[in-house]
Each structure stands twice: as structure tokens, then as C-alpha cells.
Amino acid sequence: MKIFKTRAKHKEIAEQLLQQNNLLNEAASFMKEIERGNLDMPLSEKMIQATLGKSLLGIKAHLQDIKKGDNERNWLNTGLANFSDILRNKESKKLAALSDEILKNIVQYLGANQGAIFVLNEEGEGKDPYLEMISCYAYEKKKYLEKRINLGEGLVGQCVLEKDMIYLKKTPDDYVRITSGLGQATPKEVLIVPLLINEKSFGVIELASFEEFPPYKIDFLKKLSENIAAAIKNVKEGDRILTLLHSSQEQAEELRAQEEEMRQNMEELQATQEEMQRKSDEIAKASAEMISIKNGIDASMATIEFTPDGLILAANPNFLKVTGYKISELKGRHHKQLVPEEIIDSDDYKKFWSRLAAGESFTGIFKRLSAERKIIWLNAVYNPILDAKGEVAKVVKFATDVTEQQERISENQGLISGMNATMALIEFTPDGTILTANENFTKAMKYSLDQIKGKHHSKFVPKEILDSPDYKTFWKRLSSGEAIAGVFKRINSSGKTVWLNAIYNPILNANKDVVKVIKFATDITQQQELLAEIKSTMEGIETTMATIEFKPDGTIVNANKLFLTSMKYTLDEIKGEHHSKFVPLEVRHSESYKQFWPTLASGKPVSGVFKRVASDNSVVLLNAIYNPILDTEGKVIKVLKFATDITASRKMLDELDLEKNKV
């Protein structure tokens, strides 16, 4: 009776071991897939119910969330950096060429099928503004189409008037033919985004796709649209300035011709009235110089004249154009009409005109108000003009409109502030010397700014990387203008490893010289440590179980030491041989074994207790699972077998059965 109880107990233990082995096999397969980056690997119902299975599901869900967030942030940051390079090089391109390049990259980067850029055309007095298609791109090719859309016409025209994005998810069959500028293909979804700067429209981007635009892509396009609007504005403004420059050059030629004519006339007078002519020459020369200077100033700068106490005497057309006033609206009024209220109440402004009246001049960038009470910025000098007695007779202000530059500086500061709030930023000289770093970076590396400022980047680099060939060329590549992105291993002030997903971005000046390097980074240390922990777990499985690797047809690729010990082979003796080498003759020719490898090659795992033959022809019993490994396209690329040698335990059970039969 005691023998029966012992046998039952052993049988129960064997079943529990088998269940545990199955769970371990499934866990090993699951962790191997996670290590390979396959986060969609399912678990069996038994494993899900087990504590180990719940832990594995938790790891899987956490890694999926991290991967998704990282992918979207990396996608957005990389896109902004790429388009920043495109827009930075706009000076050498015409508007159409710039638009083609912008649109091509947007369509490709967002995975859309079609796209168009419409620019608001407001040129021509007495003519209504309209939208003109300057770029069209579809199915990876530039389209040479011409289209004009009036404001309020169709969704594109409506988008400009409402100054808001339009996202059409279900387009009617006749949408393209009636309201779109994208040709004759019927898209599934249409996204129309206005190009705005300070609520002023400069155009529209229209994109169409057969797939849905996810929120992070829409957010990316919204952020990018203002930069595109600024680029379009700058190019158009540059074209206008070139036109004005050509006109001013022609006027200068006319002035030079007039001056030459005057000089010839003066030379003729000199023949008859030498003494008077000498004096006349001096007066004429001084007069010509003054006229030339005045004409040059009037042609290129905004000027306004004041009494010593600030009353407006006169203003040139450039000043009136910049401020939007008529001379009748300014003459006789005080300067404070152009000044914002908060500046009028300041102590500096209360002393401003008394200091000018005392002969002190002022230069700088001044905040002023236009006739529409909008903010304008003037780079100006207030210059007191003295009379023959040395007293201030009037004050002349010479100014240029720098509103656009100031707004661009403000926009860039806003962009940098957003990056400072969400990313770790650090700036270097082109040779790697640290200039500054934001709080996110110093917090991640556990340094204060004073501890790293003026130090070299190598301060953060592990010794094994510092001595590598890649690092020795790292700063040479950056200083030549090459951006470098990736996951980088760094060391913090405590000597601990920090993993940063980062891009080192060279910053160029107007001469295309690298003036500094900015690093944008995200701390991914936690994710890297989790992956290392998973790898360690898999290595533990490798040391406790017999494993062997096959091609999908059963050819042996590799095997670990435990497997070779169980089967009494060396790796050289089995590598390149077929799995049937281990299979008993009666099993090898069975119908089930004929289907064995086709089943595995189709992606279905096979598990159970298998009878195999070692090199000395002894029988080996393996509790094993044959697990197909798939690539990203679902194709079986190899088969891994995880096994436990249960020959000894099965022998013990057989001995118990023998004892039972004797009883």
C-alpha cells in the first residue's frame, strides 16, 4: 500500500514538473520574442492565470507604452529638425522651388498620398485676394497643375477665412472634382491646415490620404505650419525687397547722371566767372552730398522730425508706410501717440525728451504702435540737430522696421522654451566644450551647470567609448556639419550609466559655418535597464535548459552545452546535420514525423515528451517544446527547441511500476 502511495506521489510530482516545464518553456519563448522586439507575442490561458504570466503581461504592456511614446516623440522631433534644415536653406530658393521641397517632404514624412500648397496672393490694387496653387505632389511625383481659388470657395478657401484646421474623414465621391486642388483621385481623408503668423493667413496646406491621420501627425503639421508660413512670408518679402532694390539702383543712376550734368554746367560757368565758380563749386558739392545723403536715407529708412519737446514736425513716406498713418494725422501731435501705454508711464520715458533736448542721442530697438494700434519694432537713432548757437533746434529719428525679425526671434524663443520644458538640452562649441545646459539635462546627469560649464563632452563618456575609433572622429564629424543621432551610453556624476536617446545638431551661421552644436535628448535609462534584465533572464534559461536551433527544414544550426551533454555529441558532429539524426528508426519513418517539420515550418509550435537516440545509441527522453521563430513579416526563420532531460525521472517511474507488479 505504501508503494502505491509513493508511486501516486511521484506521479503527481512528475505532472507538476511537466506543467512547470511547459510554463517555463512558454515563458522562455515569450521573453525571447520580447528581446527581439516582438511586443505582440501572446500567452496561453494557463500562463495568464499564473503569477509569472501576469508579470510577463505587465512587462509587455509597459514596454509597448514606452515604445509607442518614444516612437511618436522621436518621429516628431526628427521631423521638426529635418524641416528646420529645409526652411533654414530657403534664402537660395524661389518660392515655387521651396514649396515643392516642403510639400514633397511633408507628403512623404506623413505617409500621405497627395498634397498641395496654396499661397495667398494679395498683389494688385483694387483686386480681390485669392489662393494660388504653387505646388502639387501626388503618388511620389510632382504634379504640374494650375489652380486659383477665391477666398471662401470650397474647403480650401473656407480654411483661410476661418483660420482653422479642417479634417474631413469621409469625403464624397465628387469631392476632388468639386472642391479640392488635388486632381481626380478620391481620397479617404483630407486634412487642410492654414499657414498663419499672428492670425494672418499666408496660405494653406491640403493633404489627402487613404489612411487616417493619427493625432500626433496632425499636431506635428500644426507646429510646422507656422514655420512654413514664416518661410513663405520671408521669401515673398525678399522678392519684394529685390524689386525695390533694382528700382532704387535705377534712381541712383538717374541721380548720378543729373549730378554729372550739373558738374558740366558748373565747369562752363567757371570759364567766365572763375572766382564765383569756385565758390559755387563748393556750395554745389556740399549741396549734392547733402541731397544724395538725404535721398539715400529717404529711400532706405523711415525718418521723422520733432521739436525738442517731442511735437511731430514731418515724416517721410517710409515712416508713414511703416506706421500706417497719414502726415495729417501726425503733424502737430506729440511723439507719445506712437508709444505703448506701459512705456509712457515708465521713468525712462518721462526723462526721454528732456535728455534729447539737452543734446543726448539715443539708439536701440524701440517698441512702438501703428495707426491700427498694433505693435511694431523700430531699430532707430534719435539724433538732436543743433543750430548755429549750439542749441537743439529739432530732433530727427532715423529708423528701419525690424518687426519681422523681432517676431521671428520671439517665435524661436517659444520653440526653444517648449523644448527646454520637455527635453534635456545641452550646447557645445564645435570642438565639444560645454557652453550651457538646461535643468532637464543637469537633473538627468546629476550635475549642476557650474560643474560642467567649460568642460569637454568627454566628461560624460565611458572609457571604453572614449578610446574607440568612432569617438575619436565624433566631434570632427559634428564640426563639419554632420548631425548624429542614436542611443548613447553616458556616465553621470555618481558614476552610474545613463542611456540617452539623442540627436547632436550642428548650428550654422549665415556663412554655413558651424558655430555651436545643440544636443536634444531623452533619458531612456529605465527602458534600457529593463531590456538588460530581460536579457539576463533569457541567459538564465539558457544555463538551465537544453536548447538547440534548427533551420525551418530541420537542419541543425547550433546547440548549447546541456543539449550536447544529454545527447553525447560535440557541436561539430551535429552542425549541418538533420534533426532525424536523433530520431529512432521506427519514428523517423512514421506518418507523424513526416508532418513534423512542415508543421513547424508553418509556424505552429510542437511540445511533448520525445524519445531520442544519443550518439552511443542510448535512449534519451526529452520533455521539450519546438518553437518557430518568426520575422517581422510573420515568416518562420528558424526553430528553437527548449528541452529538459527526463530520462532519469522516467526510469525511476518505470522502476516503481516494476515494484508494483512484483507486489
Side-chain angles (χ1 to χ4, degrees):
M1 187 66 176
K2 185 176 181 180
I3 292 173
F4 284 107
K5 289 184 177 179
T6 302
R7 182 178 180 278
K9 185 66 175 178
H10 280 291
K11 184 175 181 181
E12 182 181 348
I13 292 172
E15 290 176 350
Q16 290 177 352
L17 284 173
L18 180 60
Q19 291 178 359
Q20 290 299 318
N21 279 334
N22 288 339
L23 290 178
L24 284 174
N25 290 339
E26 184 177 356
S29 176
F30 179 84
M31 296 302 287
K32 198 73 174 179
E33 287 301 303
I34 291 294
E35 184 181 11
R36 290 171 56 81
N38 179 13
L39 300 181
D40 297 319
M41 181 71 175
L43 290 174
S44 66
E45 191 62 29
K46 286 185 178 181
M47 177 61 82
I48 293 173
Q49 298 301 321
T51 302
L52 176 60
K54 293 176 181 177
S55 297
L56 291 175
L57 285 177
I59 291 174
K60 173 182 174 181
H62 182 62
L63 287 175
Q64 285 175 330
D65 291 340
I66 290 173
K67 183 176 181 182
K68 180 181 178 184
D70 284 348
N71 288 343
E72 292 182 358
R73 282 191 296 274
N74 289 340
W75 185 91
L76 188 143
N77 291 333
T78 301
L80 290 177
N82 291 340
F83 279 96
S84 176
D85 290 338
I86 294 172
L87 297 178
R88 189 183 298 117
N89 297 324
K90 64 182 178 297
E91 288 81 4
S92 62
K93 296 182 179 178
K94 295 295 184 181
L95 183 58
L98 176 64
S99 300
D100 286 344
E101 186 171 359
I102 291 171
L103 183 61
K104 174 184 175 182
N105 282 277
I106 287 177
V107 170
Q108 292 178 348
Y109 199 68
L110 269 65
N113 299 102
Q114 306 176 57
I117 293 181
F118 296 83
V119 171
L120 186 62
N121 193 329
E122 299 177 298
E123 298 178 357
E125 295 184 4
K127 295 183 180 179
D128 293 332
Y130 63 92
L131 289 166
E132 179 183 7
M133 179 193 289
I134 61 169
S135 181
C136 182
Y137 188 84
Y139 302 104
E140 300 184 348
K141 291 184 179 179
K142 171 179 170 59
K143 301 297 182 181
Y144 295 90
L145 302 177
E146 294 184 1
K147 194 169 184 70
R148 168 175 172 158
I149 297 178
N150 296 323
L151 298 190
E153 179 183 354
L155 293 180
V156 172
Q158 182 182 349
C159 179
V160 173
L161 290 182
E162 295 180 355
K163 299 179 180 179
D164 197 6
M165 179 190 78
I166 296 176
Y167 187 16
L168 195 61
K169 290 192 174 183
K170 293 183 179 179
T171 58
D173 292 339
D174 57 353
Y175 167 76
V176 171
R177 183 167 50 82
I178 294 176
T179 59
S180 172
L182 298 179
Q184 295 300 315
T186 303
K188 178 182 178 183
E189 306 214 355
V190 174
L191 178 63
I192 306 173
V193 178
L195 304 176
L196 303 175
I197 300 179
N198 296 329
E199 293 302 306
K200 177 175 175 58
S201 295
F202 288 88
V204 169
I205 290 182
E206 183 180 23
L207 298 176
S209 176
F210 297 111
E211 303 294 337
E212 183 177 357
F213 291 100
Y216 72 93
K217 288 190 177 181
I218 294 176
D219 183 53
F220 167 79
L221 190 57
K222 285 182 178 179
K223 290 181 179 179
L224 185 61
S225 64
E226 191 168 345
N227 293 339
I228 295 173
I232 291 174
K233 177 184 176 184
N234 292 341
V235 172
K236 292 180 70 176
E237 194 66 24
D239 291 342
R240 187 183 67 83
I241 291 173
L242 284 176
T243 301
L244 292 175
L245 179 60
H246 291 319
S247 176
S248 65
Q249 289 173 341
E250 291 175 357
Q251 292 176 0
E253 287 294 332
E254 292 177 2
L255 286 174
R256 281 194 288 270
Q258 292 173 3
E259 184 179 346
E260 177 64 18
E261 183 179 355
M262 183 181 294
R263 187 185 64 79
Q264 291 175 356
N265 291 336
M266 296 301 294
E267 287 177 350
E268 292 175 1
L269 288 173
Q270 187 178 7
T272 57
Q273 298 180 339
E274 185 175 344
E275 185 62 25
M276 290 183 63
Q277 187 64 40
R278 184 182 64 80
K279 294 181 179 179
S280 296
D281 284 343
E282 293 177 355
I283 295 172
K285 183 178 179 181
S287 176
E289 289 177 355
M290 292 299 296
I291 291 172
S292 179
I293 292 171
K294 185 178 185 303
N295 289 340
I297 291 173
D298 279 339
S300 60
M301 301 187 73
T303 63
I304 185 170
E305 298 180 8
F306 305 91
T307 63
D309 59 358
L311 295 179
I312 298 170
L313 296 172
N316 76 347
N318 286 342
F319 188 89
L320 298 175
K321 182 177 180 180
V322 168
T323 59
Y325 279 103
K326 297 177 181 177
I327 187 61
S328 60
E329 296 172 324
L330 291 177
K331 196 171 184 178
R333 303 292 182 90
H334 195 272
H335 170 262
K336 67 177 63 177
Q337 179 168 331
L338 305 168
V339 181
E341 195 69 32
E342 70 273 13
I343 296 178
I344 293 175
D345 296 334
S346 67
D347 292 336
D348 285 344
Y349 189 74
K350 290 175 182 177
K351 300 175 184 177
F352 186 70
W353 283 101
S354 60
R355 292 168 68 184
L356 285 169
E360 182 179 355
S361 62
F362 288 91
T363 61
I365 296 177
F366 299 92
K367 183 180 180 182
R368 296 296 181 249
L369 292 175
S370 69
E372 298 177 349
R373 313 314 288 168
K374 291 182 178 179
I375 297 297
I376 56 175
W377 294 89
L378 300 176
N379 186 4
V381 55
Y382 289 81
N383 189 37
I385 305 299
L386 308 182
D387 60 15
K389 297 178 181 179
E391 297 177 351
V392 176
K394 62 182 178 179
V395 175
V396 179
K397 174 182 177 180
F398 303 95
T400 55
D401 183 5
V402 293
T403 305
E404 181 181 332
Q405 295 92 314
Q406 290 296 112
E407 289 175 348
R408 191 183 307 127
I409 291 171
S410 178
E411 292 168 6
N412 292 337
Q413 288 174 343
L415 180 61
I416 293 172
S417 296
M419 290 183 175
N420 263 321
T422 58
M423 299 185 73
L425 269 67
I426 183 168
E427 296 184 13
F428 304 91
T429 63
D431 66 355
T433 303
I434 299 166
L435 296 172
T436 187
N438 72 353
E439 184 178 354
N440 289 338
F441 185 89
T442 56
K443 183 177 179 182
M445 302 304 292
K446 301 187 184 303
Y447 281 104
S448 67
L449 181 57
D450 291 337
Q451 289 175 311
I452 62 175
K453 191 172 183 179
K455 306 287 183 172
H456 194 267
H457 168 264
S458 56
K459 183 180 184 71
F460 309 124
V461 181
K463 189 174 187 311
E464 69 273 13
I465 297 176
L466 199 61
D467 297 333
S468 68
D470 282 345
Y471 189 74
K472 289 177 181 177
T473 61
F474 187 74
W475 284 100
K476 289 182 181 178
R477 292 165 61 193
L478 289 170
S479 62
S480 68
E482 179 184 353
I484 301 176
V487 175
F488 300 92
K489 181 182 179 182
R490 298 295 181 249
I491 303 297
N492 66 16
S493 64
S494 304
K496 294 183 178 180
T497 297
V498 177
W499 291 93
L500 298 176
N501 187 4
I503 180 171
Y504 292 79
N505 191 36
I507 304 301
L508 311 180
N509 62 12
N511 293 326
K512 309 300 182 185
D513 299 321
V514 176
V515 293
K516 62 182 176 180
V517 175
I518 300 181
K519 175 182 179 180
F520 304 90
T522 304
D523 186 354
I524 60 169
T525 306
Q526 184 178 357
Q527 298 94 304
Q528 291 294 109
E529 289 176 348
L530 183 58
L531 288 174
E533 183 180 341
I534 292 171
K535 183 177 180 181
S536 178
T537 302
M538 294 306 301
E539 289 173 352
I541 291 172
E542 180 73 11
T543 60
T544 57
M545 299 187 73
T547 64
I548 183 169
E549 181 182 335
F550 303 92
K551 292 181 180 179
D553 64 356
T555 302
I556 299 166
V557 177
N558 200 2
N560 72 351
K561 186 176 180 180
L562 289 179
F563 184 88
L564 296 172
T565 300
S566 294
M567 301 306 293
K568 301 175 183 177
Y569 280 105
T570 65
L571 182 58
D572 290 338
E573 289 175 327
I574 62 172
K575 192 172 183 179
E577 299 287 336
H578 194 268
H579 167 264
S580 57
K581 183 180 185 73
F582 309 127
V583 180
L585 193 59
E586 68 274 12
V587 177
R588 193 182 307 171
H589 297 297
S590 67
E591 189 63 33
S592 61
Y593 188 73
K594 290 179 182 178
Q595 297 302 318
F596 187 76
W597 284 101
T599 299
L600 291 170
S602 70
K604 296 179 181 178
V606 178
S607 61
V609 177
F610 300 93
K611 180 181 178 182
R612 296 293 181 252
V613 178
S615 65
D616 60 358
N617 290 323
S618 61
V619 173
V620 179
L621 294 178
L622 297 177
N623 184 9
I625 179 170
Y626 291 80
N627 189 37
I629 305 301
L630 311 181
D631 62 13
T632 56
E633 297 179 355
K635 182 181 178 181
V636 176
I637 56 174
K638 62 182 176 180
V639 175
L640 288 180
K641 174 182 177 180
F642 299 91
T644 303
D645 186 349
I646 61 170
T647 307
S649 59
R650 180 59 65 91
K651 183 178 180 182
M652 183 179 66
L653 291 175
D654 291 341
E655 289 174 354
L656 288 174
D657 287 338
L658 183 60
E659 289 294 329
K660 173 186 172 184
N661 292 333
K662 288 180 180 179
V663 173

